[in-house]
Amino acid sequence: MTKYKPIAPQQFPKFAGIKTYMRLPHCRTTQGIDFAVVGVPWDGATSYRTGQRLGPDAIRKVSVTLRPYNQALDVEIFEQCSGVDYGDLPVVPGYIGDTYARIEEELSPLVAAGVIPVLMGGDHSITLPELRAIAKTHGPVALVHFDSHTDTNDQYFGRPYYHGSPFRRAVEENLLLPDYSIQVGMRGSVYSKDAYNDSKSLGFKVITMADIREMGLPKLSEKIRERVEQTRVFVTFDIDVVDPAFAPGTGTPEIGGLTSGEAIDLIQGLNGLNFVGFDVVEVLPDYDVAELTALLAANIIYEFLSMIALNKKNSNGNEKPG
Ligand code: MN
Ligand code: MN
């Protein structure tokens, strides 16, 4: 079977060619792959700045510099895995219902085939249809949610769907296991004193940025692992959990966040969890500087792929794919 892996820069220069994530083949297969990197160029449900539709493009562009061996996690991704850049999903500009239907429809066959989707947003509203596709195969899953916002608001102009409500809707639709789920990094001004109680009453554990500063990162990683156990888990990473000094290219920035290095450490601290999917959302290239935000997002995805590879390595010894 074909094994899908990046083109080596010793054979074809990094700066040349059409940009895919990490120079993986662009291929819409569900066969012979462990993961698919998928773009979701949707920004029709934002509350402030818009332009996240160009996030996948920006991430792909800078991802060509990534190399296959992850030193920190000690894994060569493509010794273990086969993976593709699946391209972008066909969103319908201006129509969130149609867009949700298409995201779910396009992702479901991938998930059903046992492929782990790794999605690039797009605003955070896209995570709801992603979770619908995941739940169709896996049933309700745990959620690890990095964000400066809880995204568990209810209505927005009397409407149920926007980038501030996906996790309330996901609980209502029984797509999540709130008792195993955790939200991390919340901070900044909010609408009322009990703003985070919405999330807590839905069943989520909420760890604020102030909590993180108090407990430190190793303790936080431990808390996340204790919460999730070996439940199937979806990881959603809103880039605005990172401080705007490190990730300026986003739609609703909040000061006082993680550094990019801390974000990578936190992701690596999830290693060994039972992953069924990932996304990185809210990258907004128009507000980016020196491609900082896109590069961070590309590297977060790289850590996800490394952990997929490690799980595969640990589940079947050194057996090669394909
Ligand atoms: Mn969010
Ligand atoms: Mn956010």
Side-chain angles (χ1 to χ4, degrees), residues 124 145-147 149 151 163 167 238 240 281-282:
H124 219 157
H145 173 201
F146 297 101
D147 204 323
H149 315 97
D151 295 353
H163 78 158
F167 304 110
D238 184 329
D240 72 29
V281 298
E282 299 284 353

Side-chain angles (χ1 to χ4, degrees), residues 111 128 130-144 169-181 204 228 230-234 274-277:
V111 180
L128 180 63
E130 292 166 10
L131 291 170
R132 287 174 179 164
I134 294 278
K136 247 196 247 175
T137 291
H138 296 294
V141 297
L143 181 77
V144 175
R169 298 287 96 84
V171 172
E172 289 169 353
E173 295 182 21
N174 197 29
L175 309 176
L176 294 177
L177 299 167
D179 290 347
Y180 293 87
S181 299
F204 293 116
V228 175
Q230 274 299 302
T231 313
R232 293 188 177 102
V233 61
F234 187 92
N274 185 8
F275 306 109
V276 293

Side-chain angles (χ1 to χ4, degrees), residues 12 21 46 94 131 137 151 229 279 284:
F12 192 77
Y21 182 81
T46 58
L131 291 170
T137 291
D151 295 353
E229 299 175 2
D279 69 16
L284 201 175

Side-chain angles (χ1 to χ4, degrees), residues 153-168:
N153 295 321
D154 191 354
Q155 307 281 311
Y156 190 62
F157 293 92
R159 298 292 185 169
Y161 305 119
Y162 84 115
H163 78 158
S165 68
F167 304 110
R168 173 178 292 270

Side-chain angles (χ1 to χ4, degrees), residues 232-306:
R232 293 188 177 102
V233 61
F234 187 92
V235 180
T236 186
F237 194 99
D238 184 329
I239 205 81
D240 72 29
V241 75
V242 175
D243 194 275
F246 295 85
T250 195
T252 41
E254 302 291 347
I255 62 162
L258 300 170
T259 67
S260 45
E262 286 169 341
I264 296 296
D265 286 351
L266 259 185
I267 298 292
Q268 289 171 349
L270 305 179
N271 185 27
L273 296 183
N274 185 8
F275 306 109
V276 293
F278 300 90
D279 69 16
V280 175
V281 298
E282 299 284 353
V283 172
L284 201 175
D286 288 345
Y287 281 83
D288 208 359
V289 174
E291 299 174 332
L292 293 175
T293 316
L295 184 61
L296 173 59
N299 275 274
I300 287 164
I301 292 169
Y302 177 79
E303 298 300 331
F304 292 159
L305 302 185
S306 303

